[in-house]
Amino acid sequence: MAPPTKSSKQATRGAKQIVEENASTLQFYRYMIFGAFVTYLVIMSILFEFTTKTTLLTSLAGMVFTASYQFMSYMARAKYMESGQLLDSGVDLNMEGGIAEHVKDLIILTSGVLVLSLISNYFWFLWLLAPLRALWMLWVNIISPWIFAEPPAPTEKDEKKQRKLERKMARPMYKSH
């Protein structure tokens, strides 16, 4: 067993390592996209016929793949100085909780839906999981905390104003003679 380190923090990764990991991540998802798409097209061409519905859904899957991959490659684009030295490594695609994680999930979902739709066209309905998850994240992270937020605690100034208002209300409004 390795001896414990002085600090319990995770070691930070260097910019070059992030660039290399981003390239391997992009390559993995590129292979996943091509594998699912080519498998689908070959089997559909041999065993089944393309209807208007399947052509439309296949085109939509292709657009989702293209947009997702282009977005990830744009995020991971590294910037170099003229001398060739790395200036910015781009966004880490393997960062937990980042937007790239959701884009990777969309690629995985679309690949699964595409391949499973060879079994039955009802598997296309699994694509509805993406907007449902987006609505769930919107509710949990934005809407619910905003609606159910505790009112701000009164400050000392507010308390003084409240006491003054209560004293004013306790006094009679008119004077009797």
Side-chain angles (χ1 to χ4, degrees):
M1 190 173 213
T5 58
K6 290 182 182 177
S7 105
S8 62
K9 291 183 181 180
Q10 277 186 340
T12 57
R13 297 179 303 158
K16 287 184 180 181
Q17 184 180 1
I18 290 173
V19 170
E20 291 169 2
E21 288 178 2
N22 282 349
S24 66
T25 300
L26 286 171
Q27 181 182 16
F28 173 79
Y29 284 98
R30 184 173 47 243
Y31 288 158
M32 179 185 287
I33 289 168
F34 286 136
F37 212 71
V38 167
T39 302
Y40 178 80
L41 290 177
V42 167
I43 293 175
M44 277 297 286
S45 299
I46 294 171
L47 299 177
F48 305 107
E49 65 180 47
F50 281 98
T51 62
T52 305
K53 179 177 66 173
T54 57
T55 304
L56 178 68
L57 290 171
T58 305
S59 300
L60 188 59
M63 288 188 279
V64 168
F65 281 144
T66 303
S68 299
Y69 185 81
Q70 289 298 320
F71 182 69
M72 281 184 18
S73 64
Y74 175 76
M75 286 174 47
R77 190 168 296 145
K79 294 181 179 94
Y80 295 93
M81 289 197 284
E82 291 177 14
S83 64
Q85 185 179 1
L86 183 63
L87 186 62
D88 180 25
S89 62
V91 177
D92 185 7
L93 296 179
N94 298 315
M95 178 175 45
E96 289 185 28
I99 187 97
E101 186 174 307
H102 304 297
V103 176
K104 291 189 289 189
D105 290 344
L106 183 61
I107 290 173
I108 293 168
L109 176 67
T110 305
S111 297
V113 166
L114 199 61
V115 172
L116 287 173
S117 70
L118 291 168
I119 299 169
S120 171
N121 281 335
Y122 288 111
F123 281 109
W124 286 109
F125 287 115
L126 287 176
W127 235 352
L128 295 175
L129 292 175
L132 288 176
R133 182 167 184 233
L135 288 173
W136 176 254
M137 289 172 43
L138 182 69
W139 173 258
V140 168
N141 295 322
I142 296 172
I143 297 172
S144 174
W146 180 69
I147 290 176
F148 300 113
E150 294 290 326
T155 61
E156 189 177 319
K157 249 185 179 179
D158 291 338
E159 290 174 8
K160 286 181 182 178
K161 284 183 183 180
Q162 183 66 29
R163 284 193 301 254
K164 185 177 179 181
L165 184 63
E166 287 171 359
R167 283 195 308 263
K168 196 175 193 180
M169 296 303 276
R171 283 190 279 168
M173 296 282 276
Y174 58 93
K175 292 186 181 182
S176 60
H177 292 318

